[in-house]
Amino acid sequence: ATPDFARVDYVSPAFETVWGIACAEIYANGRCWIPTVVDEDQDIVALAVAGLGEGRSSDDEFRIRRSDGEVRWIGARAYPLRGEDGQVELATGVVADITERKRAHESLLSTQSQLRLFVENAPAALAMLDRDMRYLLASRRWMLDYGLEWGEVVGRSHYDVFPEIPERWREIHR
């Protein structure tokens, strides 16, 4: 028989802070947290729980909605534990509130998008290169001025695009 994982033997007191559910509730009903998972992420959790019952570990991220309405991101790693007969009897795992990390990531993506739009649409000939002089971004003006297409430069070395650059300039760039 596949375990239903409704019994909880231990939960950290931090559970109350993250979920806003008293630890006593999860001890009474180990599945009390599942309805807090936002609708769009219910399938992620259902597949993880089913996989545990079948002996597969999981490493997932999903959102919960606390009783106060706040949405939090959860990172969860879970592992099945087998009994002497080889059957899955229990599961163990670690969950972490990754909300701040997710917000920082979203902010970074937004900033990167804004930077990309700024550079690409700048009226000046601008190009951004990494430490190895590979193109990261270039303005349309840069492409037009040098008669290049984006596909000709993205990820390529400045010296591959412009092989005629003298060694003295390459040394200065280094």
Side-chain angles (χ1 to χ4, degrees), residues 5 43-53 56-60 78:
F5 304 115
D43 287 347
I44 294 168
V45 171
L47 287 171
V49 171
L52 284 169
R56 291 189 307 274
S57 298
S58 66
D59 186 358
D60 298 296

Side-chain angles (χ1 to χ4, degrees), residues 15-20 36-38 41 61-75 96-103:
F15 175 80
E16 291 185 8
T17 304
V18 175
W19 257 270
T36 69
V37 176
V38 299
D41 295 349
E61 296 178 352
F62 56 88
R63 293 162 294 166
I64 62 167
R65 183 175 314 279
R66 294 166 35 102
S67 60
D68 62 8
E70 183 182 5
V71 173
R72 306 295 295 172
W73 275 97
I74 303 298
D97 183 341
I98 60 170
T99 305
E100 292 310 314
R101 186 189 82 192
K102 289 295 241 183
R103 286 180 183 155

